[in-house]
Amino acid sequence: MKEALLRPVDSDALDQYPIAEDEDLKGHRFVMFDHDRWLNSDTVLRMSAECGWFYLNLIFLSQKQRPIGTLPDDDELLASLLRIDLGRWKELRARQMGPLHKWRRVRCGNKIRLAHPVVTKIAEETVESRILRVQSNEEKAVYQRLKRLREGLLFLGCDKSVVADDVLVQRIDGWLTEHAPGKRTRASYERALMHAVAQKWMLRAVSG
């Protein structure tokens, strides 16, 4: 291994990795990979086929690490992940264009790990898209829940002006969420209506 790889680094001088270790990415099986950029990069053109193979595998393996997109700063663990002999790994790593080309040490909380700028960007986009997807699903779930609530109120005889009152419907939904968790029934809607009248959210439960 080259001497440069053994040189100590002040952990305070290292960049903080932008993704938290506890970021939940269950079901993450797909990695956005720019194959055109890879095939035309200096890395793939200058790197040996063997190093390129391990380089790609490390990118994919980093997707299952904590935090996502990082690797352990430990030769034994890296060799184990790649399932190769430790001596062989150290020999490959010591090359100018080795499997850890452009991977750098970063701080992950109180730990030191390895990160690659492009892999980090991909990981950040993955986390962001997951957050947006979760938000979208939650918004759809709320929309459907409020839609069913409005339909239930109409079924119980509430005036259309009542179910068109977004503030009132959201208040009733909040009460149901707290006091009637699980599947909402006619009885739970009736209880919510009585509560709304008692709290003077509405003048009466039904029209007529």
Side-chain angles (χ1 to χ4, degrees):
M1 186 181 295
K2 289 184 177 181
E3 182 182 352
L5 295 174
L6 298 174
R7 188 175 301 160
V9 177
D10 182 1
S11 62
D12 291 335
L14 300 176
D15 291 333
Q16 179 66 44
Y17 192 66
I19 301 174
E21 184 175 1
D22 60 355
E23 189 68 56
D24 185 8
L25 285 174
K26 292 180 180 178
H28 173 50
R29 302 178 205 166
F30 178 78
V31 181
M32 292 292 294
F33 188 79
D34 189 341
H35 58 276
D36 282 339
R37 177 175 179 172
W38 164 249
L39 293 173
N40 292 285
S41 67
D42 288 344
T43 300
V44 74
L45 294 175
R46 297 175 184 274
M47 189 177 286
S48 70
E50 184 180 18
C51 286
W53 166 258
F54 291 127
Y55 183 93
L56 280 177
N57 273 275
L58 287 174
I59 291 176
F60 299 138
L61 287 166
S62 73
Q63 303 302 307
K64 295 301 181 182
Q65 294 286 305
R66 292 292 186 93
I68 178 178
T70 67
L71 292 170
D73 184 28
D74 184 299
D75 282 326
E76 290 187 4
L77 291 178
L78 290 169
S80 179
L81 283 171
L82 293 171
R83 301 183 180 183
I84 61 175
D85 179 77
L86 178 60
R88 182 57 177 159
W89 163 251
K90 288 184 175 181
E91 179 187 342
L92 293 172
R93 178 173 179 171
R95 295 184 183 182
Q96 184 176 2
M97 295 289 285
L100 285 178
H101 182 61
K102 292 190 177 180
W103 286 83
R104 297 292 183 266
R105 301 176 82 200
V106 295
R107 286 187 295 114
C108 299
N110 59 355
K111 300 177 182 177
I112 303 298
R113 292 180 64 81
L114 301 175
H116 187 288
V118 176
V119 178
T120 299
K121 181 180 178 181
I122 293 172
E124 287 184 297
E125 291 174 352
T126 300
V127 171
E128 179 66 20
S129 65
R130 193 269 305 174
I131 292 173
L132 293 176
R133 185 168 61 252
V134 169
Q135 290 176 339
S136 177
N137 290 338
E138 289 177 348
E139 289 171 358
K140 290 177 182 177
V142 170
Y143 173 82
Q144 290 298 327
R145 191 176 70 240
L146 295 180
K147 181 174 181 289
R148 289 192 296 270
L149 174 55
R150 287 187 168 93
E151 292 170 349
L153 296 177
L154 285 172
F155 182 78
L156 291 176
C158 289
D159 190 81
K160 289 183 178 180
S161 62
V162 172
V163 300
D165 187 335
D166 290 337
V167 174
L168 173 60
V169 170
Q170 289 172 7
R171 277 183 169 182
I172 294 175
D173 176 64
W175 187 89
L176 285 166
T177 299
E178 182 177 356
H179 296 92
K183 185 176 181 179
R184 295 179 177 182
T185 63
R186 174 171 178 169
S188 62
Y189 285 153
E190 290 175 343
R191 287 174 55 207
L193 279 176
M194 293 303 102
H195 179 77
V197 172
Q199 296 297 313
K200 298 183 178 180
W201 296 347
M202 54 192 299
L203 296 179
R204 54 189 176 185
V206 297
S207 60

